[in-house]
Amino acid sequence: MDDRPIGIFDSGLGGLTALKELEQLLPQESIVYFGDTGRVPYGTRSRETIRRYAAQDMAFLMEHGVKAVLAACGTVSSTAGDIGQKLPVPYFDVIGPAARAAAARTQNKKVGVIGTSATIHSDSYRQALLALDYRLEVYPQACPLFVPLVENAFISPQEEVTRLVAQRYLGPIREAGVDTLILGCTHYPIISPIIGSVMGRGVALIDPGKEAALALAGTLQGEGLLCREGRPRSSSYFVTDEPESFTSVAELFLGHSVQGRVERVDVGS
Ligand code: DGL
């Protein structure tokens, strides 16, 4: 048994897609969420900068006494996984769980991967997929405009701007005939109704935050690291920009109001 909280982080709001899933899987667990809202997006930055930010984010969570760290960010997962592996607590990211779900799901062996520029250029999803099944055909596509659209709440299924951008990005992958698409950035599931309607009915969408949350929950359960039953839970949110703007958009991600304190912090530059 381990009563310490679980630490989750992202460059901004996207990691909330994993937090939401974790709340449902392990409702008794306390969570510390860190969103680097002052420095989002990460996905257009250099590898060195992403790695520096990721190390600072992880150090911040460790200072809060977490028992496990989930990098709920495709960009960090694909660029700084080795930093996470060196933490003194179990570390999880989104690449492996999402790749395994996609490889298990595809029937025609054609898998699309969308993500930030950094994630797609790292090639990490393609390598993880081919390591699972060398016969897979992988179709990657960077979608750099999706994160700012989501962070600015252009997320309604009727949102014309987001739909037009999605049509532009997803056209080639749809034409390739993929039957499975990894939403390789944790911001993307929030616009999955738009992505799904552009891709068409037969295409399965893989949510990496959800798959990573399942993997984390399974490991904590398997290793006896869950908290004691009946213990009061708490959620704390830390951001690096205005808490108010985070709170209002976070509610759209979580499907409920933010419960717990939201505090502005500085983790370095
Ligand atoms: N949620 C992050 C990811 O999964 C967003 C990336 C960004 O900050 O650009 O990649």
Side-chain angles (χ1 to χ4, degrees), residues 86-108:
K86 292 192 191 112
L87 292 175
V89 296
Y91 167 79
F92 300 83
D93 68 27
V94 293
I95 307 287
R100 283 193 289 279
R105 185 67 191 258
T106 181
Q107 300 277 321
N108 70 4

Side-chain angles (χ1 to χ4, degrees), residues 10-15 39-44 72-76 94 116 119 147 184-187:
D10 179 44
S11 58
L13 293 148
R39 302 191 293 193
V40 68
Y42 282 10
T44 48
C73 175
T75 305
V76 167
V94 293
T116 65
T119 296
V147 169
C185 166
T186 51
H187 279 68

Side-chain angles (χ1 to χ4, degrees), residues 56-262:
Q56 291 167 342
D57 303 348
M58 292 183 211
F60 176 83
L61 288 178
M62 291 308 300
E63 279 166 23
H64 283 76
V66 298
K67 64 180 166 190
V69 168
L70 170 56
C73 175
T75 305
V76 167
S77 301
S78 60
T79 313
D82 58 314
I83 300 175
Q85 298 295 347
K86 292 192 191 112
L87 292 175
V89 296
Y91 167 79
F92 300 83
D93 68 27
V94 293
I95 307 287
R100 283 193 289 279
R105 185 67 191 258
T106 181
Q107 300 277 321
N108 70 4
K109 305 267 178 215
K110 294 184 180 188
V111 178
V113 181
I114 54 175
T116 65
S117 302
T119 296
I120 296 304
H121 289 138
S122 77
D123 204 32
S124 47
Y125 268 115
R126 200 182 64 85
Q127 289 171 17
L129 285 162
L130 293 181
L132 290 164
D133 183 345
Y134 69 91
R135 294 163 303 174
L136 293 176
E137 286 175 42
V138 184
Y139 296 88
Q141 173 67 52
C143 305
L145 291 176
F146 278 168
V147 169
L149 285 167
V150 168
E151 290 276 330
N152 288 286
F154 283 66
I155 58 179
S156 139
Q158 286 77 41
E159 187 56 68
E160 279 303 308
V161 180
T162 309
R163 182 170 296 273
L164 281 174
V165 172
Q167 280 163 347
R168 183 81 169 261
Y169 283 144
L170 302 174
I173 307 183
R174 193 188 49 220
E175 296 311 312
V178 305
D179 69 355
T180 304
L181 177 65
I182 297 179
L183 307 180
C185 166
T186 51
H187 279 68
Y188 299 175
I190 195 84
I191 52 166
S192 60
I194 295 179
I195 294 172
S197 79
V198 171
M199 290 305 293
R201 266 177 190 279
V203 178
L205 304 182
I206 305 296
D207 175 341
K210 179 176 173 179
E211 300 302 333
L214 279 164
L216 186 151
T219 301
L220 293 190
Q221 234 144 14
E223 296 190 2
L225 292 174
L226 295 179
C227 67
R228 277 170 296 169
E229 238 168 271
R231 223 183 148 269
R233 73 176 296 277
S234 68
S235 296
S236 315
Y237 298 84
F238 296 94
V239 292
T240 52
D241 206 343
E242 281 306 312
E244 291 73 27
S245 43
F246 170 81
T247 305
S248 57
V249 189
E251 293 182 1
L252 302 173
F253 273 77
L254 294 171
H256 60 71
S257 59
V258 172
Q259 286 138 13
R261 68 190 166 124
V262 184

Side-chain angles (χ1 to χ4, degrees), residues 6-10 15 18-19 22 31-35 61 68-72:
I6 298 168
I8 304 181
F9 76 100
D10 179 44
L19 186 151
L22 212 55
I31 292 173
V32 177
Y33 183 86
F34 173 77
L61 288 178
V69 168
L70 170 56

Side-chain angles (χ1 to χ4, degrees), residues 38-50 53 75 117-118:
R39 302 191 293 193
V40 68
Y42 282 10
T44 48
R45 297 180 194 272
S46 70
R47 185 179 146 78
E48 292 67 37
T49 302
I50 296 166
Y53 288 178
T75 305
S117 302

